[in-house]
Amino acid sequence: MSYLNQAERQALLHELSGMRLWRAKFKLRLMDPKGRLLYYRNVQQTGEWHTKYVLEGLGTEVTLVEVNHAENTQYRNKQKFEFVNVIVEPTPDNRI
């Protein structure tokens, strides 16, 4: 399997940004048999939750960004996450 070049990563970015979160996660899991989930809903910046997949066979890292619109008075299981952004980056060994 070859690594994704810049144009293919941009195409993946546009394809994933038009999907719902669960569909994007499903697509990423099916794209690469060597792919793995690095972290799920990790807070990297204030107000943003990041889910990161590393597609080792494709030489790409994909980060799915969500925003929480729930009030502080709501229970934890009543959170309202909205899928807002996708970040597609090459891995360090991908020089294409």
Side-chain angles (χ1 to χ4, degrees):
M1 199 176 289
S2 64
Y3 289 160
L4 297 180
N5 60 23
Q6 180 65 29
E8 292 169 333
R9 287 193 302 269
Q10 283 294 332
L12 177 63
L13 172 77
H14 291 298
E15 185 178 357
L16 292 175
S17 61
M19 295 182 178
R20 291 179 167 258
L21 178 69
W22 63 270
R23 182 71 178 143
K25 291 191 305 187
F26 185 72
K27 179 168 181 58
L28 290 171
R29 282 183 287 183
L30 291 179
M31 281 183 71
D32 185 14
K34 289 184 177 180
R36 60 188 169 92
L37 175 67
L38 193 60
Y39 49 79
Y40 177 73
R41 283 193 179 155
N42 190 353
V43 179
Q44 297 292 320
Q45 297 175 357
T46 304
E48 290 185 356
W49 279 256
H50 292 202
T51 301
K52 188 168 196 169
Y53 287 89
V54 177
L55 307 176
E56 293 176 11
L58 299 175
T60 306
E61 297 177 352
V62 180
T63 305
L64 307 173
V65 180
E66 297 174 274
V67 175
N68 189 355
H69 293 293
E71 298 174 8
N72 289 338
T73 59
Q74 291 182 331
Y75 292 109
R76 183 176 179 181
N77 59 355
K78 299 236 181 194
Q79 301 296 313
K80 296 178 183 177
F81 291 99
E82 179 185 358
F83 180 42
V84 293
N85 194 10
V86 179
I87 303 168
V88 179
E89 302 169 321
T91 55
D93 59 339
N94 184 357
R95 298 176 190 196
I96 299 175

